[in-house]
Amino acid sequence: MTTEKPIRVLHVLGTTNLGGAESRIMELYRNMDRNKVQFDFLVHTDKEGHYNAEIRELGGKIYSVPRFNVKNYHAYRNALVRFFAEHNDYAAIQGHMTSTASIYLPLAKKAGIPVTIAHARSAGVDKGVKGLVTKIIRYPLKNRADYLFTCSEEAGVAVYGKKAVRQGKVWTIPNAIDTERFRFNSSVKEKMLAELGLSDKFVIGHVGRFGFMKNHAYLIKVFYELCIMHDDVALVLIGKGELEEEIKQKVQDLGVGEKVFFLGTRANVEDYYQAFDYFVFPSVFEGLPGSVAEAQAAGLHCLVSDKVTREAALTDLAVYRSIDEPPIEWAKEIQKNAKDAKIRRDMRQEIIDKGFDVRIQAKQMAEFYLTGKNPPGHRCTISQS
């Protein structure tokens, strides 16, 4: 009796640390039929990532190339050429790091990997020269991949352009989550609040990397205004990043340091969603933030930046406001809905109905990887609004 080996798909990322794209891929990987499809990872760092141990346990392999910085273009390209010369037996390569996908995807194709996929996961770029360089290098990507995936209309347009979207070349793949994992659980809520010492507080929560796009500075101002209105409030921040110390200083400057909790990254982030009473997300730009989907799956009222795609509103729990408004307006919005926010609903079926359940998506993606045809999701379109 012979046993067929699973096909292997190579995912290209910056790192394998806790992050939006990484979390979504790992959710998919855990629920994939690994007797049929296995994942490997090509990352742009030689440091051990948060998910490395789990990846190896699931049967995946991790490879690394140098991080691209423009000056090392030739060294970066040569490293990729060498890598694909030795590792070209993949059924597909999926590039979630679109900043340099126009470089590595054609090299993978030339080396013999039959299916190349670009996956847009953000609708913006960093400020300044770095962002400009990203746009320039990324410009030809729409013509350098067999499939163009996106998590939202805005990300699809930002990365591939309106023309590619209008021509039907871009596929929207929902940022699916494990709906059962994030489902509201009152006993977990009580346990987590007791552990945090916040059982008597109204807890505002945020999950996201401390970087420009997440707009923590605005969030802190909103919380400050809320503190003026109410004494029994707390803010829990989950994530790490280059702006963390700056935000800590702003918290101290505003005199609310004893009410703000910086918890770093947490592997059991689903438990912290249970502890929150309200989820606030004032990003400057996004693709389709998985954390907003997770928060809704946990039954949380979500106050979301108007810069975030409306596709993230999977339920009526998500309300949008402009980040150009004074922070006090956001605080008033939270205050207005605070009583209703205490009542949590089971939102699992609503999330499933919107196509965001990872168990269902894992089966669909497995079929796509095995055949190279008919991606799940739908062709991206440009809304008329």
Side-chain angles (χ1 to χ4, degrees):
M1 181 178 178
T2 59
T3 303
E4 287 189 18
K5 289 184 178 181
I7 64 165
R8 303 192 82 89
V9 176
L10 182 67
H11 290 273
V12 184
L13 292 161
T15 73
T16 50
N17 285 323
L18 283 166
E22 295 86 350
S23 295
R24 300 286 72 80
I25 297 163
M26 289 305 296
E27 292 271 38
L28 189 67
Y29 192 17
R30 294 179 193 116
N31 288 277
M32 187 68 57
D33 183 347
R34 293 185 296 280
N35 291 315
K36 294 181 179 179
V37 180
Q38 259 293 349
F39 288 176
D40 290 343
F41 296 81
L42 179 63
V43 296
H44 291 68
T45 178
D46 56 3
K47 295 179 181 178
E48 189 76 2
H50 173 85
Y51 287 119
N52 280 25
E54 183 180 3
I55 288 169
R56 294 183 183 111
E57 186 177 331
L58 293 173
K61 301 172 185 175
I62 305 159
Y63 305 97
S64 67
V65 290
R67 192 164 190 85
F68 180 73
N69 63 11
V70 181
K71 293 180 181 179
N72 69 344
Y73 171 81
H74 293 292
Y76 178 71
R77 189 181 185 281
N78 290 338
L80 289 164
V81 169
R82 289 193 298 271
F83 174 80
F84 290 123
E86 296 178 15
H87 305 90
N88 54 18
D89 56 346
Y90 287 101
I93 176 173
Q94 190 163 342
H96 307 273
M97 188 174 172
T98 58
S99 57
T100 57
S102 62
I103 300 173
Y104 61 75
L105 289 181
L107 292 176
K109 188 77 170 182
K110 187 176 181 180
I113 298 177
V115 177
T116 59
I117 308 157
H119 200 144
R121 293 186 174 274
S122 178
V125 295
D126 289 325
K127 293 187 293 184
V129 175
K130 184 178 180 182
L132 179 62
V133 170
T134 295
K135 287 182 178 181
I136 293 170
I137 296 174
R138 202 168 60 185
Y139 181 77
L141 179 56
K142 57 184 174 291
N143 299 314
R144 295 187 177 180
D146 296 317
Y147 287 96
L148 306 177
F149 286 0
T150 183
C151 60
S152 69
E153 173 195 330
E154 290 181 21
V157 170
V159 174
Y160 309 120
K162 288 184 178 180
K163 184 178 179 181
V165 173
R166 289 198 178 106
Q167 291 175 338
K169 294 181 178 179
V170 183
W171 290 82
T172 300
I173 310 296
N175 268 354
I177 63 172
D178 186 337
T179 52
E180 187 61 41
R181 178 185 170 204
F182 292 95
R183 195 176 196 167
F184 178 61
N185 185 313
S186 58
S187 61
V188 174
K189 178 179 178 67
E190 292 175 11
K191 170 181 171 290
M192 294 305 297
L193 286 173
E195 182 179 302
L196 292 167
L198 299 175
S199 296
D200 59 342
K201 303 297 183 185
F202 186 82
V203 182
I204 307 298
H206 181 272
V207 177
R209 185 175 175 276
F210 282 86
F212 164 71
M213 66 183 288
K214 298 299 183 184
N215 203 11
H216 283 85
Y218 187 87
L219 173 60
I220 296 303
K221 292 175 184 176
V222 172
F223 181 68
Y224 171 74
E225 297 291 351
L226 202 59
C227 288
I228 295 174
M229 298 176 184
H230 300 282
D231 187 54
D232 60 342
V233 292
L235 174 62
V236 174
L237 302 174
I238 295 178
K240 296 191 75 65
E242 68 274 8
L243 296 183
E244 185 175 355
E245 292 306 315
E246 180 181 316
I247 298 302
K248 285 181 177 179
Q249 186 58 54
K250 288 182 183 295
V251 165
Q252 295 302 321
D253 292 344
L254 290 171
V256 293
E258 75 283 357
K259 296 185 177 184
V260 181
F261 299 82
F262 293 83
L263 301 186
T265 54
R266 299 287 165 137
N268 61 328
V269 67
E270 67 274 14
D271 293 339
Y272 290 89
Y273 282 111
Q274 310 302 322
F276 301 161
D277 292 304
Y278 221 109
F279 191 75
V280 183
F281 201 78
S283 287
V284 177
F285 63 83
E286 289 283 347
L288 192 149
S291 53
V292 175
E294 292 168 352
Q296 290 172 86
L300 284 167
H301 278 248
C302 301
L303 184 52
V304 184
S305 163
D306 63 337
K307 305 298 183 184
V308 175
T309 176
R310 297 310 193 269
E311 293 168 79
L314 306 181
T315 72
D316 61 3
L317 292 174
V319 172
Y320 289 75
R321 288 200 76 116
S322 171
I323 53 174
D324 293 327
E325 291 183 293
I328 192 172
E329 298 303 323
W330 280 53
K332 288 178 179 176
E333 180 74 31
I334 296 168
Q335 181 187 43
K336 181 178 73 175
N337 297 301
K339 187 175 180 180
D340 289 341
K342 282 289 188 180
I343 303 169
R344 300 279 277 272
R345 292 182 280 150
D346 187 335
M347 306 303 293
R348 183 169 182 265
Q349 193 56 50
E350 288 192 40
I351 306 294
I352 291 173
D353 291 345
K354 288 292 179 70
F356 276 72
D357 184 79
V358 75
R359 290 176 176 81
I360 296 172
Q361 190 178 91
K363 294 178 182 177
Q364 297 169 336
M365 286 300 295
E367 185 64 23
F368 166 69
Y369 290 138
L370 287 163
T371 64
K373 300 175 182 178
N374 302 320
H378 57 274
R379 290 190 189 274
C380 185
T381 57
I382 296 178
S383 61
Q384 300 303 309
S385 57

Short mmCIF file of all heavy atoms in Angstrom, two decimals, residues 201-222:
data_model
loop_
_atom_site.label_atom_id
_atom_site.label_comp_id
_atom_site.label_asym_id
_atom_site.label_seq_id
_atom_site.Cartn_x
_atom_site.Cartn_y
_atom_site.Cartn_z
N LYS A 201 -14.09 47.08 36.98
CA LYS A 201 -13.81 48.12 36.00
C LYS A 201 -14.56 47.88 34.68
O LYS A 201 -14.91 46.76 34.34
CB LYS A 201 -12.30 48.18 35.69
CG LYS A 201 -11.42 48.40 36.91
CD LYS A 201 -11.67 49.74 37.58
CE LYS A 201 -10.71 49.95 38.75
NZ LYS A 201 -11.01 51.21 39.49
N PHE A 202 -14.76 48.97 33.95
CA PHE A 202 -15.25 48.89 32.58
C PHE A 202 -13.99 48.89 31.71
O PHE A 202 -13.24 49.87 31.69
CB PHE A 202 -16.13 50.09 32.25
CG PHE A 202 -16.79 50.00 30.89
CD1 PHE A 202 -17.96 49.27 30.71
CD2 PHE A 202 -16.23 50.64 29.79
CE1 PHE A 202 -18.56 49.18 29.47
CE2 PHE A 202 -16.82 50.56 28.54
CZ PHE A 202 -18.00 49.83 28.38
N VAL A 203 -13.75 47.77 31.02
CA VAL A 203 -12.46 47.55 30.37
C VAL A 203 -12.52 47.84 28.87
O VAL A 203 -13.27 47.20 28.12
CB VAL A 203 -11.97 46.10 30.60
CG1 VAL A 203 -10.61 45.89 29.95
CG2 VAL A 203 -11.92 45.79 32.09
N ILE A 204 -11.72 48.81 28.46
CA ILE A 204 -11.52 49.09 27.04
C ILE A 204 -10.34 48.26 26.57
O ILE A 204 -9.30 48.20 27.24
CB ILE A 204 -11.21 50.59 26.80
CG1 ILE A 204 -12.26 51.48 27.47
CG2 ILE A 204 -11.09 50.87 25.31
CD1 ILE A 204 -13.66 51.29 26.94
N GLY A 205 -10.48 47.62 25.43
CA GLY A 205 -9.40 46.76 24.94
C GLY A 205 -8.93 47.14 23.55
O GLY A 205 -9.68 47.73 22.75
N HIS A 206 -7.68 46.82 23.27
CA HIS A 206 -7.11 47.00 21.93
C HIS A 206 -6.04 45.94 21.72
O HIS A 206 -5.25 45.65 22.61
CB HIS A 206 -6.47 48.39 21.78
CG HIS A 206 -5.90 48.65 20.41
ND1 HIS A 206 -4.60 48.31 20.08
CD2 HIS A 206 -6.45 49.18 19.31
CE1 HIS A 206 -4.39 48.64 18.81
NE2 HIS A 206 -5.48 49.17 18.32
N VAL A 207 -6.05 45.36 20.53
CA VAL A 207 -5.04 44.36 20.15
C VAL A 207 -4.39 44.84 18.87
O VAL A 207 -5.07 45.00 17.84
CB VAL A 207 -5.67 42.97 19.94
CG1 VAL A 207 -4.61 41.97 19.47
CG2 VAL A 207 -6.36 42.49 21.22
N GLY A 208 -3.10 45.11 18.91
CA GLY A 208 -2.43 45.58 17.71
C GLY A 208 -1.00 46.00 17.99
O GLY A 208 -0.66 46.40 19.11
N ARG A 209 -0.19 45.93 16.98
CA ARG A 209 1.22 46.29 17.07
C ARG A 209 1.37 47.79 17.31
O ARG A 209 0.65 48.60 16.74
CB ARG A 209 1.93 45.89 15.77
CG ARG A 209 3.41 46.09 15.76
CD ARG A 209 4.00 45.54 14.46
NE ARG A 209 5.42 45.84 14.38
CZ ARG A 209 5.92 46.98 13.94
NH1 ARG A 209 5.11 47.93 13.52
NH2 ARG A 209 7.22 47.18 13.90
N PHE A 210 2.35 48.14 18.15
CA PHE A 210 2.61 49.55 18.42
C PHE A 210 3.40 50.16 17.26
O PHE A 210 4.62 50.28 17.30
CB PHE A 210 3.39 49.71 19.74
CG PHE A 210 2.53 49.58 20.96
CD1 PHE A 210 2.27 48.33 21.50
CD2 PHE A 210 1.97 50.69 21.57
CE1 PHE A 210 1.48 48.18 22.62
CE2 PHE A 210 1.17 50.56 22.69
CZ PHE A 210 0.91 49.31 23.22
N GLY A 211 2.67 50.52 16.21
CA GLY A 211 3.26 51.15 15.05
C GLY A 211 2.37 52.28 14.57
O GLY A 211 1.24 52.45 15.05
N PHE A 212 2.84 53.04 13.62
CA PHE A 212 2.12 54.22 13.12
C PHE A 212 0.68 53.91 12.74
O PHE A 212 -0.25 54.64 13.09
CB PHE A 212 2.88 54.80 11.93
CG PHE A 212 2.07 55.75 11.09
CD1 PHE A 212 1.75 57.00 11.57
CD2 PHE A 212 1.65 55.38 9.81
CE1 PHE A 212 0.99 57.89 10.80
CE2 PHE A 212 0.90 56.26 9.02
CZ PHE A 212 0.57 57.51 9.53
N MET A 213 0.47 52.81 12.01
CA MET A 213 -0.85 52.54 11.46
C MET A 213 -1.92 52.33 12.52
O MET A 213 -3.10 52.63 12.28
CB MET A 213 -0.79 51.31 10.53
CG MET A 213 -0.49 50.00 11.21
SD MET A 213 -0.37 48.61 10.04
CE MET A 213 -2.09 48.38 9.57
N LYS A 214 -1.56 51.83 13.69
CA LYS A 214 -2.57 51.51 14.71
C LYS A 214 -3.06 52.73 15.49
O LYS A 214 -4.07 52.67 16.17
CB LYS A 214 -2.02 50.47 15.68
CG LYS A 214 -1.67 49.14 15.04
CD LYS A 214 -2.88 48.47 14.40
CE LYS A 214 -2.50 47.11 13.81
NZ LYS A 214 -3.62 46.46 13.11
N ASN A 215 -2.31 53.85 15.42
CA ASN A 215 -2.79 55.12 15.97
C ASN A 215 -3.06 55.07 17.48
O ASN A 215 -4.08 55.58 17.96
CB ASN A 215 -4.06 55.54 15.22
CG ASN A 215 -4.33 57.03 15.27
OD1 ASN A 215 -3.48 57.82 15.70
ND2 ASN A 215 -5.52 57.42 14.85
N HIS A 216 -2.14 54.48 18.22
CA HIS A 216 -2.31 54.40 19.67
C HIS A 216 -2.40 55.78 20.33
O HIS A 216 -3.05 55.93 21.37
CB HIS A 216 -1.14 53.62 20.30
CG HIS A 216 -1.24 52.13 20.12
ND1 HIS A 216 -0.80 51.50 18.98
CD2 HIS A 216 -1.73 51.16 20.93
CE1 HIS A 216 -0.99 50.20 19.11
NE2 HIS A 216 -1.56 49.96 20.28
N ALA A 217 -1.72 56.76 19.76
CA ALA A 217 -1.74 58.10 20.36
C ALA A 217 -3.16 58.64 20.45
O ALA A 217 -3.55 59.25 21.46
CB ALA A 217 -0.86 59.04 19.55
N TYR A 218 -3.95 58.40 19.41
CA TYR A 218 -5.35 58.83 19.42
C TYR A 218 -6.15 58.02 20.43
O TYR A 218 -6.99 58.56 21.17
CB TYR A 218 -5.94 58.68 18.02
CG TYR A 218 -7.33 59.25 17.86
CD1 TYR A 218 -7.51 60.59 17.54
CD2 TYR A 218 -8.46 58.45 18.02
CE1 TYR A 218 -8.78 61.12 17.39
CE2 TYR A 218 -9.73 58.97 17.88
CZ TYR A 218 -9.89 60.31 17.56
OH TYR A 218 -11.16 60.84 17.43
N LEU A 219 -5.89 56.72 20.49
CA LEU A 219 -6.58 55.86 21.44
C LEU A 219 -6.37 56.32 22.87
O LEU A 219 -7.31 56.35 23.68
CB LEU A 219 -6.09 54.41 21.26
CG LEU A 219 -6.56 53.38 22.28
CD1 LEU A 219 -8.07 53.26 22.28
CD2 LEU A 219 -5.92 52.02 21.99
N ILE A 220 -5.15 56.71 23.19
CA ILE A 220 -4.84 57.18 24.53
C ILE A 220 -5.62 58.45 24.86
O ILE A 220 -6.12 58.62 25.99
CB ILE A 220 -3.31 57.43 24.68
CG1 ILE A 220 -2.53 56.12 24.53
CG2 ILE A 220 -3.01 58.07 26.02
CD1 ILE A 220 -2.93 55.04 25.50
N LYS A 221 -5.77 59.32 23.89
CA LYS A 221 -6.54 60.55 24.10
C LYS A 221 -8.02 60.26 24.32
O LYS A 221 -8.68 60.90 25.14
CB LYS A 221 -6.35 61.50 22.91
CG LYS A 221 -4.94 62.06 22.78
CD LYS A 221 -4.80 62.89 21.51
CE LYS A 221 -3.37 63.37 21.32
NZ LYS A 221 -3.20 64.11 20.04
N VAL A 222 -8.53 59.29 23.58
CA VAL A 222 -9.93 58.86 23.78
C VAL A 222 -10.11 58.34 25.20
O VAL A 222 -11.07 58.69 25.90
CB VAL A 222 -10.33 57.78 22.75
CG1 VAL A 222 -11.71 57.21 23.09
CG2 VAL A 222 -10.33 58.35 21.34
#
